[in-house]
């Protein structure tokens, strides 16, 4: 319905029935029985045709004595911006408060818990609880990196007691607090290199799962890159169960229709985790711009930070940073080379067509 003329009330009525977002800003409709006016895309239940009046804009509707809908905000230029502002306020509250229930958080932004939970997840890709846990983990990383004692760091980060933290240590840091405090130098990581469709590939795993998938033209630069991330990483011969896991990763890289059913050890800041989660939501064969990713996580001004998070991705293809392009569709940069990026995107489009 993108080419609606909307010259008649019947055209406007059909746009209203379709909840056509393309008609927003072209007219508003008012319901005489409720005294409220809405934008065409409003998700409220449809009124009876006989009770509907159409106006060219919100000013006309208000002049006729109607009130703006509190669901679709027809008197505002961008209702989505209003919703994003609520989520941004909630994120600030979660950053500041050590513990905040969903009900208390929703009340602070003047929404019902149900609708707030749904809005928060649609904007950030995370639930409020997951966001609060990520913020808590970020505070913990910061305190440990500054050399503070483990117990003091736990309490400062917002964990009610040390046992609460240790129950979730793997999810929070991917290693123990003492290991993180020492820079992760004693984390056990083993790796192997192999050939894949895209060239040489290094796959590394920790005790928690696959922690790195790196692409390149030769093994030595890949090994150096891995050791910059995990200084104590050790090579492992391709034998037994380890070899089977490595081969499973390679099969998944060569054919993305083969799901990778192995645990991943995804390490990053709260912001990076948000970006990477948004990347994994991009359907195979499609792309998104850095701006679209920034919008999706509720931080539209963080385009450069999104690009930085993409560049920090250590799990090639599994976290599909190759699906992010410039706003004009250009390939932009790619940690493992724009030629590989183009090859990946072409392969995905071909697979979708088949």
């Amino acid at each position: 319905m993108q080419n609606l003329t909307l010259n008649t009330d019947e055209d406007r009525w059909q746009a209203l029935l379709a909840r056509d977002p393309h008609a927003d800003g072209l007219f508003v409709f008012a319901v005489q029985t409720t005294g409220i006016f809405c934008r065409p895309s409003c998700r409220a239940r449809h009124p009876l045709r006989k009770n509907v009046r159409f106006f060219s804009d919100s000013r006309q509707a208000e002049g006729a004595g109607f009130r703006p809908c509190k669901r679709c905000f027809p008197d505002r230029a961008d209702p989505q911006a209003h919703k994003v502002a609520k989520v941004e306020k909630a994120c600030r509250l979660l950053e500041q408060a050590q513990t905040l229930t969903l009900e208390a958080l929703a009340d602070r932004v003047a929404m019902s818990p149900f609708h707030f939970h749904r809005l928060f997840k649609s904007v950030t890709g995370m639930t409020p609880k997951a966001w609060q846990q990520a913020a808590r983990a970020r505070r913990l990383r910061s305190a440990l990196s500054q050399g503070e004692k483990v117990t003091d760091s736990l309490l400062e980060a917002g964990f009610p007691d040390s046992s609460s933290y240790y129950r979730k240590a793997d999810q929070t840091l991917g290693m123990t607090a003492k290991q993180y405090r020492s820079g992760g130098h004693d984390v056990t990581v083993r790796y192997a290199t192999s050939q894949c469709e895209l060239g040489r590939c290094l796959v590394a795993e920790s005790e928690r799962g696959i922690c790195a998938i790196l692409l390149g033209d030769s093994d030595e630069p890949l090994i150096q890159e891995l050791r910059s991330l995990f200084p104590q990483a050790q090579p492992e011969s391709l034998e037994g169960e380890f070899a089977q896991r490595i081969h499973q990763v390679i099969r998944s890289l060569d054919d993305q229709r083969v799901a990778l059913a192995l645990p991943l050890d995804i390490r990053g800041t709260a912001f990076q985790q948000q970006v990477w989660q948004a990347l994994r939501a991009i359907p195979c064969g499609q792309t998104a711009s850095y701006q679209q990713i920034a919008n999706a996580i509720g931080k539209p001004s963080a385009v450069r930070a999104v690009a930085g998070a993409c560049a920090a991705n250590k799990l090639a293809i599994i976290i599909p940073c190759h699906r992010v392009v410039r706003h004009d569709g250009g390939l932009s940069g790619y940690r493992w080379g724009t030629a590989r990026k183009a090859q990946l995107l072409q392969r995905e489009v071909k697979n979708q067509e088949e």
Side-chain angles (χ1 to χ4, degrees):
M1 298 189 67
Q2 296 187 36
N3 296 319
L4 282 177
T5 58
L6 302 177
N7 289 330
T8 68
D9 281 356
E10 182 57 30
D11 290 336
R12 300 181 187 103
W13 174 246
Q14 292 303 318
L16 183 163
L17 292 178
R19 294 190 173 93
D20 184 6
H22 299 99
D24 288 353
L26 300 180
F27 72 91
V28 297
F29 71 91
V31 183
Q32 292 176 318
T33 51
T34 63
I36 292 173
F37 70 94
C38 303
R39 60 180 64 241
S41 65
C42 185
R43 307 306 297 178
R45 196 170 84 174
H46 286 138
L48 295 176
R49 175 65 183 89
K50 64 181 182 180
N51 295 326
V52 172
R53 290 178 60 187
F54 295 103
F55 298 94
S56 60
D57 54 38
S58 60
R59 185 176 301 177
Q60 277 193 1
E62 288 178 315
F66 292 96
R67 306 184 308 278
C69 172
K70 293 185 178 180
R71 184 170 185 171
C72 67
F73 303 102
D75 55 334
R76 294 177 181 168
D78 186 359
Q80 186 62 27
H82 177 72
K83 294 178 181 179
V84 170
K86 283 181 175 288
V87 173
E88 289 176 344
K89 179 180 178 181
C91 290
R92 289 194 296 271
L93 291 171
L94 288 174
E95 290 282 347
Q96 297 165 3
Q98 293 187 349
T99 57
L100 200 59
T101 65
L102 173 64
E103 291 73 16
L105 189 59
D107 183 65
R108 297 283 291 275
V109 297
M111 293 184 70
S112 71
F114 172 78
H115 286 105
F116 170 72
H117 187 278
R118 187 168 62 178
L119 171 64
F120 191 97
K121 188 172 182 180
S122 70
V123 171
T124 67
M126 304 173 70
T127 65
K129 182 177 180 180
W131 181 283
Q132 185 162 248
Q133 289 172 341
R136 188 178 291 167
R138 180 189 56 74
R139 290 193 294 267
L140 177 61
R141 292 188 190 97
S142 177
L144 290 172
S145 297
Q146 294 173 18
E148 295 187 22
K149 294 181 179 179
V150 172
T151 302
D152 293 341
S153 298
L154 295 174
L155 296 177
E156 182 179 329
F159 291 93
D161 51 61
S162 58
S163 62
S164 298
Y165 161 69
Y166 286 114
R167 287 196 299 268
K168 298 182 178 180
D170 291 358
Q171 297 176 351
T172 303
L173 295 176
M175 62 185 82
T176 68
K178 288 184 178 180
Q179 287 174 329
Y180 191 91
R181 187 168 178 260
S182 66
H185 290 274
D186 55 347
V187 177
T188 301
V189 171
R190 53 183 181 171
Y191 69 89
T193 57
S194 182
Q195 189 70 21
C196 70
E197 278 189 6
L198 298 162
R200 296 301 292 173
C201 177
L202 183 150
V203 181
E205 72 170 9
S206 69
E207 296 175 354
R208 277 83 181 173
I210 303 299
C211 60
I213 301 173
L214 310 177
L215 303 173
D217 298 318
S218 59
D219 288 358
E220 190 56 36
L222 294 177
I223 295 171
Q224 291 178 2
E225 183 179 1
L226 179 71
R227 286 186 171 154
S228 71
L229 301 170
F230 303 100
Q232 301 303 315
Q234 296 297 322
E236 183 86 6
S237 60
L238 283 172
E239 297 177 354
E241 293 183 358
F242 177 74
Q244 292 177 12
R245 291 193 294 274
I246 299 301
H247 291 148
Q248 184 177 340
V249 173
I250 299 298
R251 286 196 301 273
S252 181
L253 298 184
D254 286 344
D255 186 353
Q256 288 178 273
R257 292 168 293 189
V258 178
L260 181 61
L262 292 174
L264 300 177
D265 181 1
I266 302 177
R267 307 180 187 206
T269 65
F271 180 82
Q272 288 172 338
Q273 297 273 4
Q274 280 184 275
V275 172
W276 296 339
Q277 187 169 353
L279 297 183
R280 300 186 77 182
I282 304 173
C284 183
Q286 298 183 27
T287 60
S289 69
Y290 294 102
Q291 183 65 70
Q292 287 173 320
I293 297 298
N295 293 342
I297 64 173
K299 297 183 178 179
S301 62
V303 176
R304 289 192 177 184
V306 166
C310 291
N313 174 28
K314 298 180 285 292
L315 292 165
I317 305 178
I318 302 304
I319 295 177
C321 55
H322 62 276
R323 294 178 189 160
V324 186
V325 297
R326 292 199 307 258
H327 65 90
D328 60 0
L331 293 185
S332 185
Y334 185 53
R335 181 170 181 168
W336 297 286
T338 53
R340 285 192 179 87
K341 185 172 187 173
Q343 183 180 348
L344 279 166
L345 293 175
Q346 290 169 2
R347 187 178 73 178
E348 291 185 356
V349 170
K350 183 179 178 180
N351 289 341
Q352 290 299 106
E353 290 174 349
E354 293 175 353

